[in-house]
Amino acid sequence: MPGTSIKDALAKWEAKTGQKATEATCIQLNMLIPPIDKMDSSLNNLNACEWLSLSTNCVEKISNLNALKNLKILSLGRNNIKNLTGLEAVADSLEQLWISYNQIEKLKGITSLKKMTVLYMSNNNVKDWGEFTKLNELPVLQELSFVGNPLQEKHEADGDWRQLVESKLPRLKKLDGLTIVKQEDDEEGD
């Protein structure tokens, strides 16, 4: 059975919400039956969109985001996405990427997201520090969820996960749902 197209999903969303997709700032096309399997060119009509959610579908590839110049939050959790190629199109606006429960192993493409403050990417397939340290190129990243990736599971079992992440991403304020408490200098206040 073919998947639902973005065009058809938007038509159903408009009928359900009474809003015009071309004017909406928040569009949620989650858990469709049949699921969306492709981010097609109909996304190019969503110029006003600031929050786009395509979670719990069967999307395999990030694409057709070029016209979404106002996009701040992109939710693609619970799909079949294998890489982050395609995010460069929203690099100037994207602040939050919710991409947990996919099949991402490599973080190529993430370094262009200089405004990203929140990255939820738990339960993917990131295995090595070489990929993880690309996150250090995100100058305003404050919150990261990485639970369930092989790298996190190994170091959580070793008991050194939080310590290693805090040393590699010193600007981070929240990791895996827990606030990072910074040790203040002993010299402070003297």
Side-chain angles (χ1 to χ4, degrees), residues 90-108:
V90 290
D92 292 336
S93 64
L94 196 65
E95 296 172 4
Q96 297 187 27
L97 179 60
W98 305 355
I99 197 150
S100 295
Y101 294 94
N102 277 283
Q103 300 166 24
I104 298 163
E105 189 173 328
K106 306 281 185 199
L107 299 182
K108 182 181 179 187

Side-chain angles (χ1 to χ4, degrees), residues 81-95:
I81 296 168
K82 293 176 181 62
N83 65 61
L84 300 174
T85 306
L87 289 173
E88 304 85 11
V90 290
D92 292 336
S93 64
L94 196 65
E95 296 172 4

Side-chain angles (χ1 to χ4, degrees), residues 51-67:
W51 181 356
L52 176 63
S53 182
L54 301 173
S55 293
T56 315
N57 281 291
C58 290
V59 175
E60 293 185 6
K61 182 179 174 186
I62 300 170
S63 59
N64 289 303
L65 296 174
N66 295 1

Side-chain angles (χ1 to χ4, degrees), residues 8-57:
D8 290 346
L10 288 172
K12 289 177 188 175
W13 180 86
E14 286 180 335
K16 181 179 175 183
T17 65
Q19 298 180 58
K20 285 187 174 183
T22 55
E23 298 169 3
T25 57
C26 178
I27 297 175
Q28 297 184 344
L29 306 174
N30 303 319
M31 301 184 335
L32 295 183
I33 300 173
I36 295 170
D37 56 7
K38 184 178 176 189
M39 294 175 69
D40 65 42
S41 60
S42 297
L43 291 171
N44 290 326
N45 299 321
L46 307 180
N47 303 52
C49 189
E50 295 178 8
W51 181 356
L52 176 63
S53 182
L54 301 173
S55 293
T56 315
N57 281 291

Side-chain angles (χ1 to χ4, degrees), residues 125-143:
N125 295 324
V126 179
K127 296 177 176 84
D128 64 68
W129 286 114
E131 290 303 314
F132 184 89
T133 55
K134 291 176 182 174
L135 299 177
N136 205 26
E137 295 183 42
L138 304 176
V140 295
L141 183 65
Q142 295 178 17
E143 185 174 342

